[in-house]
Amino acid sequence: MGKEPGMVGAKEIAAMLGLSISTIGRALADDPRISAETKARVRKACDQMGYVGNLPARMMRGGSSNFIGLVLPDIRNDFYASIAQTLSECCDRNGFHVALSITSDNRETEYRHLRDLVGARVAGTIIVPTAAPRRDSVALLKRAPHVQMLRKLPGVGGAWFGIDDEAALYDAADHLLRLGHRRIAYIGVSDRRSTSMDRLRGVRRAYAAHRADAELLSVYLGPSNAEAGEQAFEQILNASPRTSAILSASVHVTHGVLRAIRSRNIDIPGEMSFVGFGDPEWYSWWGPGLTTVQLPVQSLATSCGLWFLDTLREGSEQALQADHQSTSAAQLVVRGSTGRR
């Protein structure tokens, strides 16, 4: 199948620059045998002439595409949307493009998307895995270069970039305990994800560090959605009316609690202190300003993207065998929604 009329390929670029077609291909593949000056000339000509690479031909020869699969559970979450934006920009600057897949934390959807990404010969995949992937999904990941982000599943691969969730929630609980709160309600997510377990562990560790009575901590675990946050808030008011502070460990749960606070017209922090999770811009505008766990979006996504692309350039075998762990620190941003007990 030939090129469509008006499409510029390697042959036209080679003729314009007086180079061989193989040199054009090597320059675009960042081959070390080609000088930096020649690579720059080729890329400039490609940009000016609207070069279209022959991806199908390259894939038929057994090569991979210049696409990176990005598998996320959700982009309605500001955090994941920012991750996708940052990774897309990082890949674009380095000659790759992001192919986004949304799983809604469904293991069957995750499997279908991974199957299609591997079938399309993406160069590699960055994935926030579901809590319990299918064995087929794990097998697919083991066959292709990938890196886990945020959630870490043993047996899937040795490369992982994430957040120190335990330290993040320790700092949040420590802040409330230092303000004199002891009857704290923690609203987390009820699943087997490493992130969920680490966050609750951090809260319990803060209680132990303050030698506070752990029996005074109320724990509410449910789905990671706004409705769960609203329902948990109602349960807290009914079952634990003496609760003086609420600590959320999910962005969506935080939104649900904020809706419940508004609907009940609760005075924050006069009647109750509240610490949220995530930090979209509007958190600083809400009421007195929301004290929250601010997640390291830029540093996490950029470090993950750059490391992965560098590893891919070293070769597929190196990428498959990569064993790398990197943790970014979250930050507690203190605003007006927390006060002394």
Side-chain angles (χ1 to χ4, degrees):
M1 180 181 297
K3 296 191 302 297
E4 295 178 11
M7 294 178 67
V8 175
K11 182 178 179 180
E12 288 77 14
I13 299 294
M16 187 187 91
L17 296 179
L19 300 171
S20 68
I21 294 178
S22 61
T23 298
I24 299 299
R26 287 171 181 159
L28 292 174
D30 204 23
D31 191 309
R33 291 173 292 181
I34 305 301
S35 70
E37 180 184 359
T38 299
K39 290 176 185 176
R41 286 178 61 213
V42 170
R43 287 171 184 154
K44 183 178 180 180
C46 288
D47 289 341
Q48 291 175 341
M49 296 181 67
Y51 167 77
V52 178
N54 194 345
L55 176 60
R58 182 170 9 135
M59 293 172 64
M60 287 176 65
R61 293 193 299 269
S64 63
S65 71
N66 63 339
F67 278 84
I68 300 294
L70 176 58
V71 183
L72 299 176
D74 182 14
I75 57 167
R76 293 169 299 176
N77 182 325
D78 291 302
F79 174 62
Y80 287 129
S82 298
I83 287 282
Q85 179 72 29
T86 302
L87 279 171
S88 178
E89 293 170 355
C90 176
C91 288
D92 187 61
R93 288 193 299 269
N94 288 273
F96 289 83
H97 307 291
V98 165
L100 179 63
S101 292
I102 308 298
T103 66
S104 299
D105 267 328
N106 182 297
R107 68 199 297 260
E108 299 301 325
T109 304
E110 177 182 58
Y111 167 67
R112 291 197 306 272
H113 287 193
L114 285 173
R115 180 190 61 199
D116 292 345
L117 288 170
V118 172
R121 291 182 181 160
V122 293
T125 300
I126 299 172
I127 182 171
V128 179
T130 57
R134 283 178 46 163
R135 282 186 294 179
D136 296 334
S137 298
V138 174
L140 284 169
L141 285 170
K142 287 181 176 179
R143 284 171 43 196
H146 69 277
V147 57
Q148 295 183 80
M149 180 182 283
L150 296 171
R151 305 170 186 169
K152 180 166 52 178
L153 293 173
V156 174
W160 172 81
F161 282 75
I163 296 169
D164 192 339
D165 287 284
E166 182 175 340
L169 270 294
Y170 174 91
D171 289 344
D174 175 72
H175 171 67
L176 291 172
L177 290 163
R178 287 179 183 275
L179 290 174
H181 297 279
R182 293 297 182 269
R183 296 184 181 275
I184 300 172
Y186 169 84
I187 310 177
V189 179
S190 58
D191 59 30
R192 291 175 289 168
R193 300 171 194 159
S194 58
T195 51
S196 303
M197 295 183 286
D198 288 345
R199 291 168 192 173
L200 180 55
R201 189 179 298 116
V203 175
R204 295 194 188 281
R205 186 162 63 85
Y207 263 77
H210 282 263
R211 297 183 179 179
D213 185 357
E215 295 295 321
L216 298 178
L217 173 67
S218 301
V219 177
Y220 295 81
L221 302 178
S224 181
N225 57 52
E227 291 71 23
E230 288 187 276
Q231 292 169 8
F233 186 83
E234 296 299 327
Q235 292 174 24
I236 291 164
L237 293 186
N238 294 330
S240 308
R242 296 173 62 190
T243 296
S244 64
I246 294 179
L247 173 54
S248 170
S250 158
V251 174
H252 290 313
V253 165
T254 298
H255 297 173
V257 173
L258 290 175
R259 287 200 319 226
I261 287 172
R262 183 180 59 185
S263 67
R264 279 181 166 264
N265 199 27
I266 303 291
D267 178 14
I268 302 292
E271 297 178 56
M272 182 181 291
S273 288
F274 180 42
V275 177
F277 193 83
D279 195 24
E281 188 176 0
W282 61 269
Y283 276 14
S284 63
W285 307 338
W286 178 87
L290 184 63
T291 295
T292 191
V293 176
Q294 186 182 73
L295 303 173
V297 177
Q298 295 291 327
S299 61
L300 172 65
T302 302
S303 59
C304 178
L306 291 177
W307 176 86
F308 193 43
L309 296 178
D310 284 344
T311 305
L312 289 173
R313 290 192 185 98
E314 293 175 6
S316 58
E317 285 303 312
Q318 290 86 341
L320 281 169
Q321 297 169 8
D323 187 3
H324 184 84
Q325 307 280 307
S326 177
T327 303
S328 298
Q331 177 183 359
L332 183 69
V333 178
V334 178
R335 299 189 181 109
S337 67
T338 50
R340 291 202 166 274
R341 174 62 175 140

